[in-house]
Amino acid sequence: MNLSLDAPGSAVDGMGVPHTGTTIIAIAFDGGIVIGCDSRVSIGNYISNRASDKVTPLCENVFLARSGSAPDTQLVSDYVRHMVHQHSIEMDGMPEVKTVANLCMQLVYNNKGMNHGHGLSAAMICAGWDKRRGGQVFGLPIGGSMVEVPWAIDGSGSTYIWGVMDAEYKDGMTRAECEDLCIKALTLAMSSDSSSGGLVRLTTVTEEGAVRRLVTCEQMQPYCEELDVRGLRNGGGGVMV
């Protein structure tokens, strides 16, 4: 995720190619969803924050994973959170996940003229649980489209994990299996993508509510010849995240 609209690659480069600078993921299971992200924020080639939280609550039962330009995605989440709050008061209950995802999509689609005609640099995933349809995942790629899927990935690191997700996702996976797959996929992406890194943040949403989990580098499986720091804490030399 890029912090500044003026940073190289924060919205689009000279060739008009968008950069999303992160890795986000969500998987639906019977009874809920798991949504996760890495924690690296950069300004061009400079890492400005290595422990950020890119999974934003829009209400008690729906969360938004954000990649792209941090200002753009934060603006979308702030507006949608306000609208969902008003909607919840009128409905006297939790909103449906599809309703919240549609609000995110409409904001992106209706602002295609922003950023000098490039539109909002916002590639997001909206996921949550509601009483009517259970756990749901909606992909919200750059441009303002919306599609419901059993799992979704986005961001620059997602390029490296499509094969893993295609091979290892199976219908009927349990909550624990989905959480483990999210951690594995995010760790693999962070191993290969220089714009992804830091920690793994997971949020699991079910009928009982949302449970958040933090996976540190000491708990991650090294995949691409990284320094294995599992079991180490406060050691010498430090670890680049």
Side-chain angles (χ1 to χ4, degrees), residues 1 20-26 35-38 54-55 64-68 73 122-126 140 151-158 161 165 182 185-186 189 196 201:
M1 177 171 286
T20 49
T22 193
T23 307
I24 55 176
I25 185 172
I35 187 168
C37 63
D38 73 307
K54 305 171 188 177
V55 175
L64 184 71
R66 303 177 292 112
S67 70
T73 58
M124 303 174 292
I125 301 172
C126 184
L140 303 168
W151 59 267
I153 56 177
D154 214 322
S156 58
S158 65
I161 56 175
M165 295 301 298
C182 281
L186 287 168
S196 302
R201 296 185 183 273

XYZ file of all heavy atoms in Angstrom, residues 1 20-26 35-38 54-55 64-68 73 122-126 140 151-158 161 165 182 185-186 189 196 201:
289
model
N 0.848 -1.189 0.000
C 0.000 0.000 0.000
C 0.878 1.232 0.000
O 1.865 1.303 0.729
C -0.911 0.003 1.229
C -1.771 1.239 1.342
S -2.996 1.076 2.645
C -4.120 -0.051 1.852
N -0.486 -1.560 -6.618
C -1.307 -1.707 -5.424
C -0.493 -2.000 -4.174
O -1.024 -1.970 -3.081
C -2.350 -2.815 -5.631
O -1.706 -3.985 -6.139
C -3.398 -2.371 -6.640
N 0.783 -2.339 -4.316
C 1.745 -2.360 -3.224
C 1.359 -3.040 -1.931
O 1.591 -2.473 -0.872
N 0.779 -4.230 -1.963
C 0.428 -4.947 -0.739
C -0.075 -6.330 -1.115
O -0.080 -6.704 -2.283
C -0.651 -4.180 0.053
O -0.762 -4.722 1.357
C -1.985 -4.244 -0.640
N -0.510 -7.095 -0.133
C -1.184 -8.357 -0.390
C -2.376 -8.473 0.548
O -2.222 -8.341 1.771
C -0.258 -9.568 -0.166
O 0.936 -9.403 -0.930
C -0.947 -10.857 -0.597
N -3.558 -8.694 -0.015
C -4.765 -8.886 0.787
C -5.456 -10.161 0.335
O -5.325 -10.587 -0.819
C -5.726 -7.684 0.683
C -6.075 -7.376 -0.782
C -5.130 -6.459 1.358
C -7.099 -6.255 -0.944
N -6.210 -10.779 1.235
C -6.843 -12.062 0.954
C -8.100 -12.215 1.801
O -8.193 -11.658 2.897
C -5.853 -13.221 1.257
C -6.430 -14.574 0.858
C -5.447 -13.214 2.722
C -5.424 -15.712 0.962
N -9.069 -12.956 1.285
C -10.261 -13.317 2.055
C -10.777 -14.656 1.552
O -10.737 -14.931 0.350
C -11.347 -12.250 1.944
N -10.393 -12.882 6.678
C -9.838 -11.827 5.835
C -8.506 -11.404 6.431
O -8.353 -11.337 7.658
C -10.818 -10.631 5.722
C -10.330 -9.607 4.702
C -11.072 -9.989 7.072
C -11.389 -8.562 4.341
N -7.497 -11.195 5.574
C -6.166 -10.902 6.090
C -5.348 -10.020 5.174
O -5.726 -9.739 4.034
N -4.186 -9.606 5.684
C -3.312 -8.701 4.930
C -1.908 -8.756 5.507
O -1.686 -9.260 6.607
C -3.841 -7.270 5.000
S -3.853 -6.599 6.685
N -0.966 -8.210 4.740
C 0.362 -7.932 5.285
C 0.284 -6.566 5.969
O -0.799 -5.996 6.095
C 1.408 -7.956 4.177
C 1.322 -6.724 3.283
O 0.214 -6.442 2.782
O 2.333 -6.039 3.092
N -4.355 -2.977 7.479
C -5.066 -2.696 6.230
C -6.442 -3.346 6.176
O -7.124 -3.249 5.163
C -4.230 -3.177 5.037
C -2.831 -2.588 5.008
C -1.975 -3.246 3.949
C -0.541 -2.803 4.056
N 0.334 -3.476 3.082
N -6.839 -4.025 7.249
C -8.189 -4.584 7.343
C -9.007 -3.659 8.231
O -8.767 -3.551 9.434
C -8.179 -6.014 7.911
C -9.597 -6.516 8.113
C -7.430 -6.956 6.965
N -13.188 -4.552 5.494
C -12.651 -4.183 4.188
C -11.135 -4.307 4.207
O -10.458 -3.676 5.025
C -13.043 -2.743 3.841
C -12.628 -2.226 2.457
C -13.461 -2.902 1.372
C -12.792 -0.705 2.391
N -10.584 -5.134 3.301
C -9.136 -5.218 3.118
C -8.750 -4.267 1.998
O -9.328 -4.311 0.911
C -8.720 -6.650 2.783
N -7.746 -3.417 2.246
C -7.435 -2.314 1.345
C -6.052 -2.470 0.727
O -5.088 -2.769 1.411
C -7.489 -0.987 2.114
C -8.809 -0.728 2.799
C -8.801 0.556 3.614
N -7.924 0.477 4.775
C -6.804 1.158 4.924
N -6.377 1.988 3.970
N -6.073 1.021 6.012
N -5.965 -2.263 -0.585
C -4.674 -2.161 -1.268
C -4.757 -1.055 -2.298
O -5.852 -0.702 -2.755
C -4.298 -3.490 -1.948
O -5.122 -3.752 -3.065
N -3.616 -0.507 -2.655
C -3.578 0.621 -3.581
C -3.067 1.856 -2.871
O -2.131 1.799 -2.082
N -8.145 4.584 -0.376
C -8.877 3.509 0.288
C -9.392 3.929 1.662
O -10.465 3.504 2.084
C -7.995 2.261 0.423
O -6.808 2.576 1.158
C -7.617 1.726 -0.949
N -7.729 2.000 -5.835
C -8.318 1.263 -4.715
C -8.716 -0.124 -5.175
O -9.731 -0.301 -5.853
C -9.536 2.019 -4.171
N -7.906 -1.108 -4.839
C -8.230 -2.513 -5.083
C -8.517 -3.141 -3.727
O -7.622 -3.243 -2.888
C -7.067 -3.217 -5.777
N -9.758 -3.546 -3.502
C -10.182 -3.914 -2.163
C -10.942 -5.241 -2.165
O -11.369 -5.731 -3.211
C -11.065 -2.807 -1.584
C -10.390 -1.445 -1.551
S -11.490 -0.105 -1.033
C -12.619 -0.023 -2.436
N -11.099 -5.793 -0.981
C -11.929 -6.979 -0.761
C -12.840 -6.680 0.413
O -12.381 -6.288 1.488
C -11.083 -8.225 -0.452
C -10.107 -8.530 -1.589
C -11.982 -9.429 -0.198
C -9.107 -9.636 -1.253
N -14.139 -6.869 0.199
C -15.131 -6.661 1.256
C -15.682 -8.033 1.642
O -16.144 -8.792 0.780
C -16.243 -5.743 0.766
S -17.473 -5.327 2.045
N -13.353 -6.354 -5.090
C -13.597 -4.993 -5.583
C -12.329 -4.479 -6.257
O -11.611 -3.651 -5.703
C -13.994 -4.071 -4.423
C -15.211 -4.486 -3.600
C -15.304 -3.667 -2.327
C -16.487 -4.336 -4.417
N -13.245 -17.092 -2.656
C -12.020 -16.504 -2.116
C -11.536 -15.415 -3.055
O -11.835 -15.437 -4.244
C -10.921 -17.556 -1.889
C -10.494 -18.316 -3.109
C -10.988 -19.513 -3.532
C -9.488 -17.934 -4.071
N -10.359 -19.914 -4.693
C -9.425 -18.965 -5.033
C -8.639 -16.842 -4.200
C -8.550 -18.932 -6.118
C -7.766 -16.808 -5.282
C -7.727 -17.838 -6.216
N -10.793 -14.464 -2.508
C -10.281 -13.357 -3.319
C -8.914 -12.953 -2.815
O -8.631 -13.015 -1.616
C -11.234 -12.161 -3.265
N -8.054 -12.559 -3.740
C -6.751 -11.988 -3.404
C -6.541 -10.750 -4.271
O -7.104 -10.639 -5.353
C -5.592 -12.985 -3.619
C -5.585 -13.521 -5.058
C -5.665 -14.113 -2.619
C -4.422 -14.451 -5.362
N -5.742 -9.822 -3.793
C -5.442 -8.626 -4.579
C -4.169 -8.002 -4.039
O -3.613 -8.452 -3.047
C -6.606 -7.625 -4.536
C -6.756 -6.861 -5.849
O -5.719 -6.523 -6.460
O -7.899 -6.609 -6.269
N -3.723 -6.947 -4.711
C -2.469 -6.299 -4.360
C -1.316 -6.854 -5.169
O -1.432 -7.886 -5.843
N -0.192 -6.180 -5.102
C 0.966 -6.579 -5.904
C 1.461 -7.973 -5.553
O 1.944 -8.711 -6.414
C 2.098 -5.559 -5.714
O 2.459 -5.462 -4.343
N 1.334 -8.383 -4.287
C 1.801 -9.701 -3.891
C 0.907 -10.831 -4.360
O 1.327 -12.002 -4.356
N -0.311 -10.516 -4.773
C -1.234 -11.570 -5.192
C -0.747 -12.276 -6.458
O -1.115 -13.428 -6.714
C -2.633 -10.983 -5.429
O -2.640 -10.071 -6.520
N 0.773 -15.717 -5.719
C 0.075 -16.758 -4.953
C -1.199 -17.277 -5.623
O -1.949 -18.035 -5.015
C -0.267 -16.260 -3.525
C -1.100 -14.974 -3.569
C 1.017 -16.047 -2.726
C -1.567 -14.515 -2.200
N -3.325 -20.625 -4.276
C -4.750 -20.585 -3.953
C -5.547 -21.550 -4.831
O -6.443 -22.259 -4.349
C -5.274 -19.154 -4.110
C -4.689 -18.164 -3.133
S -4.971 -18.598 -1.403
C -6.764 -18.561 -1.335
N -4.711 -18.742 4.592
C -4.457 -17.292 4.515
C -3.048 -16.965 4.977
O -2.330 -16.189 4.333
C -5.477 -16.537 5.374
S -7.104 -16.332 4.636
N -0.495 -18.247 2.326
C -0.500 -17.444 1.099
C 0.135 -16.080 1.335
O 0.942 -15.603 0.521
C -1.927 -17.295 0.580
N -0.196 -15.427 2.435
C 0.370 -14.117 2.726
C 1.878 -14.210 2.964
O 2.637 -13.354 2.510
C -0.323 -13.506 3.946
C -1.756 -13.014 3.715
C -2.438 -12.699 5.040
C -1.775 -11.788 2.815
N 3.580 -14.579 -0.372
C 3.588 -13.310 -1.097
C 4.632 -12.353 -0.529
O 5.356 -11.680 -1.271
C 2.199 -12.673 -1.040
N 5.317 -6.055 -0.199
C 4.567 -6.702 0.877
C 5.555 -7.157 1.940
O 6.655 -7.598 1.636
C 3.779 -7.916 0.350
O 2.880 -7.542 -0.671
N -1.904 -9.993 9.501
C -3.069 -9.681 10.325
C -4.281 -10.420 9.769
O -4.603 -10.286 8.586
C -3.340 -8.172 10.348
C -2.220 -7.365 11.002
C -2.599 -5.898 11.104
N -1.525 -5.083 11.647
C -1.319 -4.875 12.951
N -2.131 -5.436 13.835
N -0.333 -4.111 13.372
